[in-house]
Amino acid sequence: MEVKSTSPKKRSKTRPLAASGTVHQHIDEQRWAYLRDLVRFLEIPSISTLPAHKPDMERAAAFVREQLTEAGMQRVRSIDLGGPPLVVGEWLGAPGKPTILIYGHYDVQPVDPLSEWQTPPFEPDIRDGNIYARGATDDKGQVLAMILAVRAQMATAGSLPVNVRFLIEGEEEYGGASIERYVREHADEIPCDAVLIADTHMLAPGQPSIVYGVRGMLYTELVARGAAHDLHSGTYGGVAPNPLHALALIIAGLKGVDGHINIPGLYELAQPVTDEERGWWARQPGDPVARLAAEMGVDVFPGEQDYSLPERMAARPTLEVHGFIGGFQQEGAKTVIPAEARAKVSLRLVPDQTAENVLPLLQARVAELTPPGVTVEVKNIHGGLGMVLDVHNPYVAAASAALAEEFGRATVFLREGGSIPIAPLFAAQLGAPVVFAGYGLADEGLHAPNEHFNLENFYHGIHGTVRFLQHVAEVTR
Ligand code: BES
Ligand code: MN
Ligand code: MN
C-alpha cells in the first residue's frame, strides 16, 4: 500500500491534544502502527459467501486472534462451528466491575462489479482521508478499532477498567447461522452486563450517534413454473403461461407505486412508533432531503409519502426485488417463453414482525396473485429479527457520554434500516442491553464498489471505545 497525501498523523479537529502519559496520547503515537494493522486486515479477501475463499476466512480469523493476543486478551481461540471460525478472547481481571461483550464480524461482502472499483478491493488505498477496500467500514475497520482500544488501554495501564469478552464472527454477511447456534447453546458461558457492537453508521461526519433500532429481514426466492419446457413464442404465444410475466404481475401486486405493501395482515403485526422517537426524528440535525440527494444521486424518494423520511428508512417495513432470473438474458433477441423464472424478493421487518409470522402472509398473497397455468413457490432463504432497544439504561448512557466527549458534540439517537440479526438474540439469550456505537458513515459504500472508511473515524473509534470502557467502570451493577 502506498500512503499518499493524507498523513494519518494529522490530528482530529474535534479533539484537542491528548494529555501526555495518557492512553489517548499513546493512541496518537501509535497511529501509523495501527494503520498498518488495518491495511493487513483489509488485504485478506475474507468473502464468506464464496466457497473459494475458505482459506482466506482462516487467515482473517488468524489475524483477529493475533490482534486479540497482542491486546493482552486471554483464552484467545477459534471455535469451529462448521462455517468460518468464531474468534473469541477475554480479559476478566476486574472483579465486581461490569463485563462488556464486544461483537463484530471479519467477513466481507463479494466485490462485484469489480470494474467499478477505482483501486483493487483488496489493495487498500488511502485517498482524501479515507481508506478504500472491501470491508473497510463494514466491518473490519470498526472491529479493529475496538480491539485496538483494548490494546492501548492494556499497553498503558496494564489492565482494563472493566471485564471484556470478544466474539468476532466470520459469517455475518451470509446469515450468521453458526454464531446464532453458539449463542443459543452456550449463553451461560458468556455472561455479560452489556453488548457493544460497532457495525452501524453515524448520522453525519462529526455527529456522534447511537443506533437504538435495526430492522429484521425475510429474504425469499420466488420460483415460478409454467409449461414443461421452453416454448416458441410465436407458436404458443397467446395460449402459454409465462412465468416471467407472472412474477412481474406478482411483484407489482405485492407493492404499489405508493410504497404500500399489499400483504394483508403485515402492518397489523408492527409495533407502533413512540412519541419519543418521533421527537428524535423531528429534532435530527441536518436536512434529510439534501443529505439523501447527495448520498443517492436522485432527488425523488418514492415510497410512502405520508411518513417522514427517517420513519420510512427505519421504522416501516419494506419490500424490495433484488434480481430476476429467467428467459433470455444475452445480447440480441430470442423469441422464447421460459418454462421457469425466479425472483429474489426480501422484506425488511420491524418489531414484532418475524420471518415466521410474515412468511405465511407472503405465501398466501403470492398464491392469490399467481395467474392461471403458473405455480409459484416462495422459498425462505434467510431471516432475522429486528429490534428496538430501550435506551434508558446506564450502558447506553455511558456510550452516549463517551461519544459526546470524543466528538465534542451531543450524541443523537438513530434507528437504522439495516439488519444485525444476532443483536436481538444477544438481548434475549444474555439478558443484556445492546449498545450500537458505530463509527461508519452511510455513504461509505458498504456492500458496494469503492467501500471506504474515514481514517479520522477509525481513530475516533479507538479513542471512543476507550472512553466507553472508562464510563462503564462507573456503572454500578
Ligand atoms: N453492518 C451491516 C448492517 C447495517 C447496515 C446496520 C446499515 C446499520 C446500517 C451488516 O453487515 C449487514 O450488512 N447486514 C445484512 C444482514 C442480512 C444479511 C441479514 C443486511 O442488513 O442486509
Ligand atoms: Mn456489518
Ligand atoms: Mn454488511
Coordinates of all heavy atoms in Angstrom, one line a residue, residues 103 105 107 137-139 142 172-173 198-200 419-420 446-447, ligand 2:
Y103 N -18.9 -7.4 20.1 CA -19.2 -8.2 18.9 C -18.8 -7.5 17.6 O -19.0 -6.3 17.5 CB -20.7 -8.6 18.9 CG -21.1 -9.1 17.5 CD1 -20.9 -10.4 17.1 CD2 -21.7 -8.2 16.5 CE1 -21.3 -10.8 15.8 CE2 -22.0 -8.6 15.3 CZ -21.9 -10.0 14.9 OH -22.2 -10.4 13.7
H105 N -17.8 -8.5 13.0 CA -17.5 -9.5 12.0 C -16.3 -9.2 11.1 O -16.1 -8.1 10.8 CB -18.8 -9.8 11.2 CG -19.3 -8.7 10.4 ND1 -19.0 -8.5 9.1 CD2 -20.2 -7.7 10.7 CE1 -19.7 -7.5 8.6 NE2 -20.4 -7.0 9.5
D107 N -15.9 -11.0 8.3 CA -16.2 -11.4 6.9 C -16.7 -10.2 6.1 O -17.1 -9.2 6.7 CB -17.2 -12.6 6.8 CG -18.5 -12.2 7.4 OD1 -18.6 -11.5 8.4 OD2 -19.5 -12.7 6.8
T137 N -15.3 -0.2 6.1 CA -16.3 0.3 7.1 C -17.2 -0.8 7.6 O -17.6 -0.8 8.8 CB -17.1 1.4 6.5 OG1 -17.9 2.0 7.5 CG2 -18.0 1.0 5.4
D138 N -17.4 -1.9 6.8 CA -18.3 -3.0 7.2 C -17.6 -4.3 7.1 O -17.6 -5.0 6.1 CB -19.5 -3.0 6.3 CG -20.6 -4.0 6.6 OD1 -20.5 -4.6 7.7 OD2 -21.5 -4.3 5.8
D139 N -16.9 -4.7 8.2 CA -16.9 -4.2 9.5 C -15.5 -4.2 10.1 O -15.3 -3.9 11.2 CB -17.9 -5.0 10.4 CG -18.1 -4.5 11.8 OD1 -18.0 -3.3 11.9 OD2 -18.3 -5.3 12.7
Q142 N -14.1 -1.1 11.9 CA -14.8 -0.8 13.2 C -14.4 -1.9 14.2 O -14.2 -1.6 15.4 CB -16.3 -0.8 13.0 CG -16.7 0.3 12.0 CD -18.2 0.7 12.2 OE1 -18.6 1.0 13.2 NE2 -18.9 0.6 11.1
E172 N -21.3 -13.3 9.2 CA -22.4 -12.3 9.3 C -23.0 -12.0 8.0 O -24.2 -11.9 7.8 CB -21.9 -11.0 10.0 CG -23.0 -10.1 10.5 CD -23.6 -9.1 9.4 OE1 -22.9 -8.9 8.4 OE2 -24.6 -8.5 9.7
E173 N -22.2 -11.9 6.9 CA -22.7 -11.4 5.7 C -23.5 -12.5 4.9 O -24.0 -12.3 3.8 CB -21.6 -10.8 4.8 CG -20.9 -9.6 5.4 CD -21.7 -8.4 5.4 OE1 -23.0 -8.4 5.1 OE2 -21.2 -7.3 5.7
A198 N -20.0 -2.3 17.1 CA -19.6 -1.2 16.2 C -19.8 -1.7 14.8 O -18.8 -2.3 14.2 CB -18.2 -0.7 16.5
D199 N -21.0 -1.6 14.3 CA -21.2 -2.1 12.9 C -22.4 -1.3 12.3 O -23.2 -1.8 11.5 CB -21.6 -3.6 13.0 CG -21.6 -4.3 11.6 OD1 -21.0 -3.7 10.6 OD2 -22.3 -5.3 11.5
T200 N -22.4 0.0 12.7 CA -23.5 0.9 12.2 C -22.9 2.2 11.8 O -21.7 2.4 12.0 CB -24.6 1.1 13.3 OG1 -23.9 1.5 14.5 CG2 -25.3 -0.2 13.6
S419 N -29.9 -4.5 9.0 CA -30.2 -5.6 9.9 C -28.9 -6.2 10.6 O -27.9 -6.4 9.9 CB -30.9 -6.7 9.2 OG -32.0 -6.2 8.5
I420 N -29.0 -6.5 11.9 CA -27.9 -7.2 12.6 C -28.6 -8.3 13.4 O -28.8 -8.1 14.6 CB -27.1 -6.2 13.4 CG1 -26.5 -5.1 12.6 CG2 -26.0 -7.0 14.1 CD1 -25.6 -4.1 13.3
L446 N -20.8 0.6 1.7 CA -20.9 -0.7 2.2 C -21.7 -1.6 1.2 O -22.7 -1.1 0.7 CB -21.4 -0.8 3.6 CG -22.6 -0.2 4.2 CD1 -23.0 -0.8 5.5 CD2 -22.4 1.3 4.3
H447 N -21.2 -2.8 1.0 CA -21.8 -3.7 0.0 C -21.7 -3.2 -1.4 O -22.3 -3.8 -2.3 CB -23.3 -4.1 0.3 CG -23.5 -4.7 1.7 ND1 -24.6 -5.5 2.0 CD2 -22.7 -4.8 2.8 CE1 -24.5 -5.9 3.2 NE2 -23.4 -5.5 3.7
Ligands
MN2 MN -21.7 -5.3 9.2

